Amino acid sequence: MNVQPTPPGIRVSLAELIEMRHRVHEVHLFSTPARRSPLIGLHHSKLRGRGVDFDQVRVYQAGDDVRTIDWRVTARTQEPHTKMFHEERERPIFIMVEQSRRLFFGSALQFKSVLAAQAAALIGWAALAHNDRIGGLVFGDAEHHEIKPRRSKQSLLQLLNRLARANQALHSESPGERDTFGLALRRAREVLRPGSLAIILCDERALNDAAEQQLSLLARHTDLLLLPLSDPLDHALPAAGLLRFAERGAQLELDTHNADLRSSYQGQAEQRQARWQRLAQKLGVPLMPLSTTAELVEQLREHLNPGRRS
């Protein structure tokens, strides 16, 4: 019997997630002495004090703490320079990535579950290269797997292995959905220390009242980066006639030629997107939505450099 290979974009392997390390240089998520990332604020938490281990001196950049200016170097070079401390360049980064049945879907380049896994891997490798402690939580319909943040490649590989295994186990008949996002956020509040950075990769539809409350509480002592995932069919129904859906004995028919139905469907999607935007503004955190319509690195570049083509 011939086994047909799985088409690309439906599942992701550990090898593919490891290979994402070669793409870190294509998008600058974290700052280096030579390049300043638009996400620099995520690496200067107001909840953390000055570092104690001197690392280097570099040219002063807008946003640097004036208390760290090196006046001797500034006087000698006639250009403001600031001291960098080792503690300011490393922090716990907790990548929370969903791998549930609602993500096991895609109508464009890849499934949402694959996009989430790729994004988690790329961010993980970038953070490791930045000398941060990496950990995370892979959560799905029935279980979750937690990796304690550590400054080691082994910790990241452990997270990626869990992520790949969860992705490979996904199928359309997974157990019914619970509020796994809310449970994962509650766990993050229990384990993350003040000043940590929590990166949230979840389905756009995961944001309900309970999740919004948990995110607001989490934002009180940690920094957040929100990356909700969506597919074009989450936002608009095609005029494709009568569509039938079946799940565990229940059936649903939708007449997509009905303009009112399509308008209502699109309106609900716009409300979901607006809710994420309001939450990000309220919490003062970056919002970087991801879609299955475009390649990951291209989307991240656009978020970090809006209006600028690479």
Side-chain angles (χ1 to χ4, degrees):
M1 181 178 66
N2 293 328
V3 178
Q4 296 296 324
T6 303
I10 294 180
R11 298 192 187 279
V12 72
S13 67
L14 177 59
E16 290 175 281
L17 298 182
I18 292 175
E19 283 298 303
M20 292 298 293
R21 73 188 189 276
H22 297 304
R23 307 205 63 186
V24 168
H25 69 281
E26 297 180 40
V27 55
H28 299 278
L29 289 167
F30 302 114
S31 292
T32 65
R35 181 182 292 268
R36 193 172 181 82
S37 168
L39 298 181
I40 183 64
L42 297 178
H43 265 48
H44 291 271
S45 171
K46 60 181 176 296
L47 296 171
R48 298 170 61 240
R50 295 174 59 190
V52 294
D53 297 325
F54 174 73
D55 184 47
Q56 64 178 318
V57 172
R58 63 157 169 75
V59 175
Y60 179 87
Q61 297 178 3
D64 287 345
D65 190 339
V66 295
R67 294 174 298 178
T68 64
I69 290 177
D70 189 318
W71 296 108
R72 291 184 179 180
V73 176
T74 297
R76 186 173 69 248
T77 63
Q78 296 298 302
E79 186 176 12
H81 280 68
T82 185
K83 297 177 182 178
M84 297 292 290
F85 296 90
H86 189 61
E87 187 184 33
E88 291 181 347
R89 296 185 56 206
E90 58 186 52
R91 68 185 306 187
I93 292 184
F94 200 69
I95 304 174
M96 302 180 62
V97 53
E98 181 177 355
Q99 289 292 293
S100 68
R101 181 178 57 174
R102 64 185 167 196
L103 286 185
F104 191 60
F105 172 78
S107 65
L109 295 181
Q110 66 263 308
F111 277 19
K112 290 186 284 185
S113 52
V114 170
L115 181 61
Q118 291 176 345
L122 184 65
I123 293 170
W125 287 114
L128 187 66
H130 195 261
N131 201 35
D132 291 308
R133 290 187 286 278
I134 312 300
L137 184 66
V138 180
F139 62 97
D141 297 300
E143 57 184 354
H144 72 264
H145 301 281
E146 180 183 326
I147 308 297
K148 182 179 179 180
R150 289 179 297 166
R151 190 166 44 254
S152 73
K153 182 178 179 181
Q154 189 61 34
S155 180
L156 176 57
L157 289 175
Q158 188 178 0
L159 177 63
L160 297 185
N161 181 53
R162 283 293 187 184
L163 181 52
R165 288 167 60 181
N167 181 271
Q168 291 287 327
L170 283 174
H171 54 84
S172 58
E173 297 300 325
S174 299
E177 296 176 5
R178 300 180 298 156
D179 184 19
T180 54
F181 186 38
L183 293 173
L185 291 172
R186 279 193 286 272
R187 178 57 183 164
R189 287 180 54 212
E190 294 173 358
V191 301
L192 290 182
R193 73 180 195 182
S196 299
L197 169 58
I199 296 173
I200 314 296
L201 286 152
C202 67
D203 193 284
E204 181 185 82
R205 296 171 294 177
L207 187 60
N208 54 26
D209 291 344
E212 184 166 342
Q213 181 183 31
Q214 290 297 323
L215 284 168
S216 299
L217 293 172
L218 186 61
R220 291 181 180 179
H221 65 89
T222 64
D223 293 321
L224 299 180
L225 173 57
L226 306 177
L227 297 101
L229 301 118
S230 66
D231 181 85
L233 287 182
D234 292 331
H235 298 157
L237 282 175
L242 190 63
L243 299 180
R244 293 184 175 89
F245 302 90
E247 181 177 8
R248 292 193 295 273
Q251 293 188 352
L252 174 66
E253 290 187 350
L254 294 178
D255 181 6
T256 59
H257 283 319
N258 186 318
D260 290 338
L261 173 65
R262 294 201 309 275
S263 177
S264 175
Y265 187 91
Q266 182 177 345
Q268 291 179 21
E270 292 171 351
Q271 290 175 14
R272 288 196 301 268
Q273 292 173 296
R275 184 171 190 175
W276 278 104
Q277 292 168 357
R278 287 195 302 270
L279 177 63
Q281 291 172 358
K282 181 180 75 171
L283 301 182
V285 302
L287 175 66
M288 298 168 59
L290 298 177
S291 170
T292 61
T293 57
E295 198 271 336
L296 171 64
V297 169
E298 294 177 1
Q299 295 185 72
L300 293 177
R301 283 174 175 168
E302 181 61 31
H303 281 306
L304 296 173
N305 302 283
R308 174 182 169 185
R309 293 189 178 275
S310 49

